[in-house]
Amino acid sequence: MDNSKTTSIMTVFDSEEVAANGSALSDAIDVGQNGGSFSVQVALTGDGTMKLEWLGSLDGQNFLVPNGASEIVTGFTKTSGPGSDGKHIYSFSPSLVKALKLKISETGGLDSITGTVTLAVQ
């Protein structure tokens, strides 16, 4: 077994309230020394609908949606997830970047959401 890989786990959004049609952007997360396995654990409350996406940067200054990138999750609500409780884990595969940011958006247009997002990188 290869024990040389380490996993970094961090809370990116902690009960982040996002207004209807609003969004929140995380601080930059340096992923330059980490490998290619990424996942997020999402917990959502509120009556709105969430989209979670990632933006990447090669220079650590300009964060963009890379060509061919897809959202981590769309249409997520407080009753989504395997337990219908607004909680789930998603893996995603970002392009090779120096740093990334996560962006949480309310897309339903009528109600706010409150989201907690924890990121794991290996």
Side-chain angles (χ1 to χ4, degrees):
M1 177 188 322
D2 180 7
N3 292 326
S4 63
K5 290 186 178 184
T6 60
T7 302
S8 298
I9 298 176
M10 65 197 79
T11 300
V12 179
F13 294 107
D14 188 7
S15 297
E16 182 76 28
E17 187 170 355
V18 179
N21 289 318
S23 64
L25 195 60
S26 75
D27 292 334
I29 302 160
D30 183 1
V31 295
Q33 299 299 315
N34 291 306
S37 297
F38 293 78
S39 65
V40 289
Q41 180 172 311
V42 177
L44 187 72
T45 60
D47 292 325
T49 303
M50 182 191 74
K51 173 174 76 170
L52 179 64
E53 59 190 316
W54 67 275
L55 296 86
S57 176
L58 295 179
D59 62 11
Q61 302 294 318
N62 299 291
F63 288 83
L64 311 165
V65 175
N67 186 42
S70 61
E71 293 90 359
I72 298 168
V73 61
T74 60
F76 196 82
T77 68
K78 67 181 181 183
T79 59
S80 295
S84 300
D85 58 359
K87 297 176 183 173
H88 201 36
I89 296 175
Y90 294 93
S91 61
F92 66 105
S93 300
S95 304
L96 180 61
V97 293
K98 175 182 179 179
L100 61 80
K101 289 185 178 187
L102 295 181
K103 182 179 180 182
I104 186 172
S105 301
E106 194 293 316
T107 58
L110 298 175
D111 298 295
S112 66
I113 56 173
T114 300
T116 297
V117 178
T118 303
L119 173 69
V121 180
Q122 183 177 61

